[in-house]
Amino acid sequence: MESYRQKSDAELVKFSLEGDKQAFGEIVNRYQGMVARTVKGMLGDSVFSEDIGQDVFIKLYYSLSDFRGEAKLSTYIQKIAVNLTLNEIKRRKRFFSTFSQKGNNEMYEFEVADYDTEEKKEARELVGKALMSLDPKFRVIVTMRMLQGYSTKETAEILDLPLGTVLSRLSRAQEQMKEILGKL
Amino acid sequence: MRISELKLLIIRSLDIDGDPEKGLRGLEEAGVDYRFSDGFRDKVLGRIASAGNTVVREMESVRNLNNVFSRIALTGVAAIVILLISIFMVQGSLSLDSFLGLGNSYDESLVYLLTGN
Protein backbone atom coordinates (compact mmCIF):
# COMPACT_ATOMS: atom_id res chain seq x y z
CA MET A 1 0.00 0.00 0.00
CA GLU A 2 2.94 2.31 0.73
CA SER A 3 3.82 2.56 -2.96
CA TYR A 4 0.28 3.64 -3.85
CA ARG A 5 0.46 6.58 -1.45
CA GLN A 6 3.08 8.18 -3.69
CA LYS A 7 0.90 7.88 -6.80
CA SER A 8 -1.05 10.76 -8.27
CA ASP A 9 -4.83 10.64 -8.62
CA ALA A 10 -4.50 10.18 -12.38
CA GLU A 11 -2.21 7.16 -11.90
CA LEU A 12 -4.56 5.63 -9.33
CA VAL A 13 -7.52 6.08 -11.70
CA LYS A 14 -5.54 4.46 -14.53
CA PHE A 15 -4.55 1.46 -12.36
CA SER A 16 -8.11 1.12 -11.04
CA LEU A 17 -9.47 1.02 -14.58
CA GLU A 18 -7.00 -1.78 -15.30
CA GLY A 19 -8.60 -3.74 -12.43
CA ASP A 20 -6.15 -2.92 -9.64
CA LYS A 21 -8.33 -3.02 -6.52
CA GLN A 22 -5.52 -1.80 -4.25
CA ALA A 23 -5.20 1.35 -6.33
CA PHE A 24 -8.91 1.99 -5.90
CA GLY A 25 -8.49 1.27 -2.18
CA GLU A 26 -5.97 4.10 -2.03
CA ILE A 27 -8.53 6.44 -3.68
CA VAL A 28 -11.00 5.43 -0.95
CA ASN A 29 -8.38 6.08 1.75
CA ARG A 30 -7.47 9.43 0.26
CA TYR A 31 -11.01 10.79 -0.05
CA GLN A 32 -13.07 9.05 2.62
CA GLY A 33 -12.63 11.98 5.03
CA MET A 34 -13.92 14.43 2.46
CA VAL A 35 -16.93 12.22 1.66
CA ALA A 36 -17.63 11.67 5.39
CA ARG A 37 -17.80 15.43 5.98
CA THR A 38 -20.27 15.89 3.11
CA VAL A 39 -22.48 12.89 3.82
CA LYS A 40 -22.48 13.08 7.61
CA GLY A 41 -22.73 16.87 7.54
CA MET A 42 -25.87 16.67 5.43
CA LEU A 43 -27.48 13.49 6.75
CA GLY A 44 -26.35 13.41 10.34
CA ASP A 45 -23.71 11.28 11.99
CA SER A 46 -25.21 7.80 11.86
CA VAL A 47 -24.54 4.33 10.45
CA PHE A 48 -26.96 5.07 7.61
CA SER A 49 -24.68 7.87 6.48
CA GLU A 50 -21.88 5.33 6.36
CA ASP A 51 -23.89 3.25 3.87
CA ILE A 52 -24.34 6.30 1.65
CA GLY A 53 -20.60 6.92 1.94
CA GLN A 54 -19.96 3.40 0.66
CA ASP A 55 -22.44 3.97 -2.16
CA VAL A 56 -20.47 7.06 -3.20
CA PHE A 57 -17.30 5.04 -3.73
CA ILE A 58 -19.13 2.16 -5.40
CA LYS A 59 -20.72 4.60 -7.83
CA LEU A 60 -17.30 6.15 -8.38
CA TYR A 61 -15.82 2.71 -9.11
CA TYR A 62 -18.39 1.98 -11.82
CA SER A 63 -18.18 5.46 -13.34
CA LEU A 64 -14.40 5.82 -13.35
CA SER A 65 -14.33 5.23 -17.10
CA ASP A 66 -16.47 8.39 -17.49
CA PHE A 67 -13.92 10.45 -15.60
CA ARG A 68 -12.10 12.44 -18.28
CA GLY A 69 -9.62 14.13 -15.96
CA GLU A 70 -10.80 17.61 -16.98
CA ALA A 71 -11.81 18.39 -13.38
CA LYS A 72 -10.00 17.28 -10.25
CA LEU A 73 -10.84 13.78 -8.98
CA SER A 74 -11.88 15.32 -5.65
CA THR A 75 -14.44 17.52 -7.45
CA TYR A 76 -15.78 14.49 -9.33
CA ILE A 77 -16.14 12.50 -6.08
CA GLN A 78 -17.67 15.47 -4.29
CA LYS A 79 -20.33 15.79 -7.01
CA ILE A 80 -21.25 12.12 -6.62
CA ALA A 81 -21.40 12.53 -2.82
CA VAL A 82 -23.64 15.61 -3.03
CA ASN A 83 -25.99 14.01 -5.56
CA LEU A 84 -26.38 10.76 -3.62
CA THR A 85 -26.89 12.64 -0.36
CA LEU A 86 -29.52 14.98 -1.83
CA ASN A 87 -31.29 11.93 -3.32
CA GLU A 88 -31.27 10.30 0.12
CA ILE A 89 -32.70 13.45 1.72
CA LYS A 90 -35.52 13.45 -0.88
CA ARG A 91 -36.13 9.73 -0.34
CA ARG A 92 -36.35 10.15 3.43
CA LYS A 93 -38.60 13.17 3.07
CA ARG A 94 -40.98 11.17 0.84
CA PHE A 95 -40.89 8.21 3.22
CA PHE A 96 -41.57 10.26 6.34
CA SER A 97 -44.25 12.40 4.73
CA THR A 98 -46.03 9.17 3.71
CA PHE A 99 -45.60 7.10 6.87
CA SER A 100 -45.18 9.56 9.68
CA GLN A 101 -47.11 12.47 11.11
CA LYS A 102 -44.21 13.62 13.26
CA GLY A 103 -42.40 15.61 10.59
CA ASN A 104 -38.87 15.26 9.31
CA ASN A 105 -36.90 15.84 12.48
CA GLU A 106 -36.85 12.17 13.34
CA MET A 107 -35.04 11.25 10.13
CA TYR A 108 -31.69 12.32 11.49
CA GLU A 109 -29.71 10.48 14.07
CA PHE A 110 -26.72 11.45 16.07
CA GLU A 111 -24.21 8.92 17.21
CA VAL A 112 -21.43 10.93 18.73
CA ALA A 113 -18.34 8.76 18.89
CA ASP A 114 -17.17 7.55 22.30
CA TYR A 115 -13.57 8.59 21.77
CA ASP A 116 -14.51 12.27 21.80
CA THR A 117 -14.02 14.40 24.87
CA GLU A 118 -17.13 15.97 26.41
CA GLU A 119 -16.28 19.35 24.89
CA LYS A 120 -15.83 17.90 21.40
CA LYS A 121 -19.04 15.90 21.72
CA GLU A 122 -20.92 19.09 22.55
CA ALA A 123 -19.34 20.93 19.64
CA ARG A 124 -20.23 18.20 17.16
CA GLU A 125 -23.73 17.89 18.51
CA LEU A 126 -24.28 21.63 18.20
CA VAL A 127 -23.01 21.74 14.62
CA GLY A 128 -25.02 18.62 13.73
CA LYS A 129 -28.26 20.01 15.15
CA ALA A 130 -27.73 23.40 13.51
CA LEU A 131 -27.06 21.81 10.12
CA MET A 132 -30.07 19.54 10.33
CA SER A 133 -32.32 22.49 11.13
CA LEU A 134 -31.33 24.18 7.88
CA ASP A 135 -33.29 23.79 4.68
CA PRO A 136 -31.46 21.16 2.52
CA LYS A 137 -30.73 23.68 -0.23
CA PHE A 138 -28.93 25.86 2.33
CA ARG A 139 -27.46 22.89 4.18
CA VAL A 140 -25.52 21.74 1.14
CA ILE A 141 -24.03 25.22 0.66
CA VAL A 142 -23.11 25.48 4.34
CA THR A 143 -21.58 21.99 4.33
CA MET A 144 -19.39 22.84 1.35
CA ARG A 145 -18.29 26.08 2.99
CA MET A 146 -18.06 25.19 6.65
CA LEU A 147 -17.02 21.55 6.62
CA GLN A 148 -15.07 21.40 3.35
CA GLY A 149 -13.62 24.90 3.24
CA TYR A 150 -14.59 25.47 -0.39
CA SER A 151 -14.76 28.93 -1.89
CA THR A 152 -18.05 30.10 -3.39
CA LYS A 153 -16.60 29.52 -6.87
CA GLU A 154 -15.67 25.90 -6.06
CA THR A 155 -19.08 25.35 -4.46
CA ALA A 156 -20.80 26.68 -7.59
CA GLU A 157 -18.73 24.30 -9.74
CA ILE A 158 -19.51 21.25 -7.59
CA LEU A 159 -23.23 22.00 -7.31
CA ASP A 160 -23.56 23.10 -10.93
CA LEU A 161 -25.14 26.36 -9.79
CA PRO A 162 -24.51 29.93 -10.96
CA LEU A 163 -22.13 31.82 -8.67
CA GLY A 164 -24.84 34.41 -7.94
CA THR A 165 -27.17 31.68 -6.64
CA VAL A 166 -24.47 30.32 -4.35
CA LEU A 167 -23.72 33.80 -3.00
CA SER A 168 -27.38 34.59 -2.28
CA ARG A 169 -28.01 31.17 -0.72
CA LEU A 170 -24.91 31.49 1.45
CA SER A 171 -26.09 34.87 2.68
CA ARG A 172 -29.59 33.54 3.43
CA ALA A 173 -28.11 30.43 5.04
CA GLN A 174 -26.05 32.62 7.35
CA GLU A 175 -29.20 34.49 8.41
CA GLN A 176 -31.04 31.21 9.02
CA MET A 177 -28.05 29.84 10.92
CA LYS A 178 -27.99 32.88 13.24
CA GLU A 179 -31.65 32.27 14.06
CA ILE A 180 -31.13 28.54 14.63
CA LEU A 181 -28.06 29.00 16.82
CA GLY A 182 -29.91 31.60 18.85
CA LYS A 183 -32.43 28.93 19.84
CA LEU A 184 -29.89 26.17 20.57
CA MET B 1 -13.85 26.24 23.14
CA ARG B 2 -16.98 27.60 24.75
CA ILE B 3 -20.33 27.11 23.03
CA SER B 4 -20.82 30.86 22.54
CA GLU B 5 -17.41 31.05 20.80
CA LEU B 6 -18.28 28.08 18.64
CA LYS B 7 -21.56 29.68 17.57
CA LEU B 8 -19.69 32.82 16.57
CA LEU B 9 -17.15 30.76 14.64
CA ILE B 10 -19.93 28.96 12.73
CA ILE B 11 -21.58 32.24 11.74
CA ARG B 12 -18.27 33.84 10.74
CA SER B 13 -17.31 30.81 8.65
CA LEU B 14 -20.31 31.66 6.46
CA ASP B 15 -19.19 35.21 5.76
CA ILE B 16 -19.08 35.69 2.00
CA ASP B 17 -15.87 37.71 2.25
CA GLY B 18 -14.32 35.45 4.89
CA ASP B 19 -11.65 32.81 4.41
CA PRO B 20 -13.43 29.42 4.29
CA GLU B 21 -10.21 27.56 5.12
CA LYS B 22 -9.85 29.54 8.34
CA GLY B 23 -13.39 28.65 9.43
CA LEU B 24 -12.75 25.01 8.63
CA ARG B 25 -9.55 24.92 10.67
CA GLY B 26 -11.29 26.60 13.61
CA LEU B 27 -14.08 24.02 13.59
CA GLU B 28 -11.61 21.15 13.34
CA GLU B 29 -9.74 22.50 16.35
CA ALA B 30 -13.05 22.62 18.23
CA GLY B 31 -13.48 18.91 17.43
CA VAL B 32 -16.00 19.20 14.61
CA ASP B 33 -14.80 16.55 12.24
CA TYR B 34 -16.57 13.64 10.64
CA ARG B 35 -15.06 10.24 9.89
CA PHE B 36 -16.27 6.87 8.78
CA SER B 37 -15.69 3.89 11.04
CA ASP B 38 -12.53 1.78 10.92
CA GLY B 39 -12.42 -0.68 8.04
CA PHE B 40 -14.45 1.58 5.76
CA ARG B 41 -12.09 0.97 2.83
CA ASP B 42 -12.36 -2.82 3.22
CA LYS B 43 -16.15 -2.62 3.36
CA VAL B 44 -16.22 -0.67 0.08
CA LEU B 45 -13.82 -3.10 -1.61
CA GLY B 46 -15.85 -6.04 -0.25
CA ARG B 47 -19.06 -4.63 -1.72
CA ILE B 48 -17.36 -4.06 -5.07
CA ALA B 49 -16.06 -7.65 -5.07
CA SER B 50 -19.50 -9.09 -4.26
CA ALA B 51 -21.14 -6.85 -6.86
CA GLY B 52 -18.52 -8.10 -9.34
CA ASN B 53 -19.49 -11.72 -8.60
CA THR B 54 -23.14 -10.85 -9.21
CA VAL B 55 -22.22 -9.32 -12.57
CA VAL B 56 -20.23 -12.45 -13.51
CA ARG B 57 -23.20 -14.68 -12.53
CA GLU B 58 -25.57 -12.50 -14.58
CA MET B 59 -23.26 -12.69 -17.58
CA GLU B 60 -23.09 -16.48 -17.27
CA SER B 61 -26.87 -16.81 -17.17
CA VAL B 62 -27.23 -14.55 -20.21
CA ARG B 63 -24.66 -16.69 -22.05
CA ASN B 64 -26.52 -19.89 -21.08
CA LEU B 65 -29.78 -18.36 -22.25
CA ASN B 66 -28.19 -17.42 -25.57
CA ASN B 67 -26.92 -21.00 -26.03
CA VAL B 68 -30.36 -22.44 -25.30
CA PHE B 69 -32.00 -19.93 -27.60
CA SER B 70 -29.63 -20.66 -30.51
CA ARG B 71 -30.28 -24.41 -30.16
CA ILE B 72 -34.04 -23.85 -30.11
CA ALA B 73 -33.78 -21.47 -33.06
CA LEU B 74 -31.74 -23.99 -35.12
CA THR B 75 -34.21 -26.81 -34.39
CA GLY B 76 -37.08 -24.47 -35.32
CA VAL B 77 -35.49 -23.51 -38.63
CA ALA B 78 -34.84 -27.18 -39.45
CA ALA B 79 -38.50 -28.03 -38.66
CA ILE B 80 -39.75 -25.23 -40.93
CA VAL B 81 -37.52 -26.41 -43.81
CA ILE B 82 -38.78 -29.99 -43.42
CA LEU B 83 -42.38 -28.72 -43.35
CA LEU B 84 -41.84 -26.68 -46.53
CA ILE B 85 -40.31 -29.66 -48.35
CA SER B 86 -43.14 -31.94 -47.26
CA ILE B 87 -45.78 -29.37 -48.37
CA PHE B 88 -44.05 -29.04 -51.72
CA MET B 89 -43.92 -32.81 -52.18
CA VAL B 90 -47.57 -33.36 -51.23
CA GLN B 91 -49.19 -30.26 -52.81
CA GLY B 92 -46.77 -29.68 -55.67
CA SER B 93 -46.38 -25.97 -54.90
CA LEU B 94 -45.68 -23.55 -52.08
CA SER B 95 -48.68 -21.26 -52.59
CA LEU B 96 -50.80 -19.89 -49.72
CA ASP B 97 -53.51 -22.45 -50.45
CA SER B 98 -50.93 -25.22 -50.18
CA PHE B 99 -49.83 -23.89 -46.80
CA LEU B 100 -53.43 -23.82 -45.64
CA GLY B 101 -54.01 -27.33 -46.94
CA LEU B 102 -56.54 -26.09 -49.54
CA GLY B 103 -54.53 -26.91 -52.64
CA ASN B 104 -56.94 -29.52 -54.08
CA SER B 105 -60.24 -28.17 -52.72
CA TYR B 106 -62.96 -26.62 -54.86
CA ASP B 107 -64.92 -23.55 -53.68
CA GLU B 108 -68.09 -25.62 -53.22
CA SER B 109 -66.30 -28.07 -50.96
CA LEU B 110 -64.98 -25.17 -48.91
CA VAL B 111 -68.45 -23.70 -48.45
CA TYR B 112 -69.70 -27.15 -47.42
CA LEU B 113 -66.83 -27.56 -44.98
CA LEU B 114 -67.37 -24.14 -43.40
CA THR B 115 -71.19 -24.02 -43.28
CA GLY B 116 -72.18 -27.67 -43.28
CA ASN B 117 -74.70 -27.07 -46.13
Side-chain angles (χ1 to χ4, degrees), chain A:
Chain A
M1 277 308 285
E2 192 61 44
S3 62
Y4 287 105
R5 285 193 194 133
Q6 318 295 329
K7 304 283 180 205
S8 69
D9 284 353
E11 285 173 313
L12 291 174
V13 169
K14 185 173 167 281
F15 294 148
S16 300
L17 284 170
E18 287 165 2
D20 186 341
K21 296 275 193 304
Q22 293 304 315
F24 188 74
E26 176 55 27
I27 294 177
V28 177
N29 268 347
R30 209 170 273 187
Y31 292 108
Q32 61 169 297
M34 179 189 82
V35 172
R37 285 194 293 274
T38 297
V39 175
K40 292 194 168 190
M42 288 170 67
L43 290 176
D45 197 353
S46 74
V47 283
F48 301 109
S49 305
E50 193 127 345
D51 290 340
I52 302 295
Q54 289 177 23
D55 291 346
V56 170
F57 286 104
I58 287 162
K59 185 153 188 194
L60 170 71
Y61 183 79
Y62 287 109
S63 64
L64 264 185
S65 54
D66 299 332
F67 176 66
R68 303 267 169 252
E70 289 155 3
K72 284 193 282 185
L73 182 64
S74 60
T75 308
Y76 189 67
I77 297 172
Q78 195 65 264
K79 280 186 181 191
I80 297 175
V82 167
N83 286 335
L84 287 189
T85 309
L86 287 174
N87 287 346
E88 177 63 13
I89 289 174
K90 277 184 207 156
R91 193 191 66 77
R92 289 183 186 186
K93 215 170 184 175
R94 268 200 309 273
F95 178 83
F96 282 100
S97 63
T98 311
F99 296 107
S100 170
Q101 304 295 314
K102 292 178 188 170
N104 295 328
N105 289 334
E106 65 186 88
M107 65 198 226
Y108 304 107
E109 289 176 38
F110 296 97
E111 288 174 8
V112 180
D114 291 335
Y115 51 76
D116 281 346
T117 61
E118 203 54 46
E119 200 177 325
K120 285 184 175 180
K121 273 184 196 173
E122 269 183 23
R124 286 179 63 194
E125 220 170 280
L126 178 80
V127 171
K129 279 180 183 168
L131 279 169
M132 292 314 132
S133 307
L134 281 171
D135 186 292
K137 74 177 174 191
F138 295 142
R139 198 186 309 155
V140 64
I141 303 269
V142 172
T143 303
M144 293 296 111
R145 180 84 173 185
M146 201 171 80
L147 300 180
Q148 302 287 5
Y150 287 136
S151 67
T152 43
K153 199 180 159 200
E154 287 169 317
T155 305
E157 190 192 337
I158 289 164
L159 301 179
D160 281 327
L161 286 173
L163 184 60
T165 308
V166 173
L167 288 170
S168 76
R169 283 191 190 174
L170 184 60
S171 167
R172 286 169 66 194
Q174 193 183 33
E175 289 306 312
Q176 215 180 79
M177 187 62 101
K178 275 181 197 167
E179 244 176 75
I180 292 163
L181 288 174
K183 290 174 194 165
L184 289 176

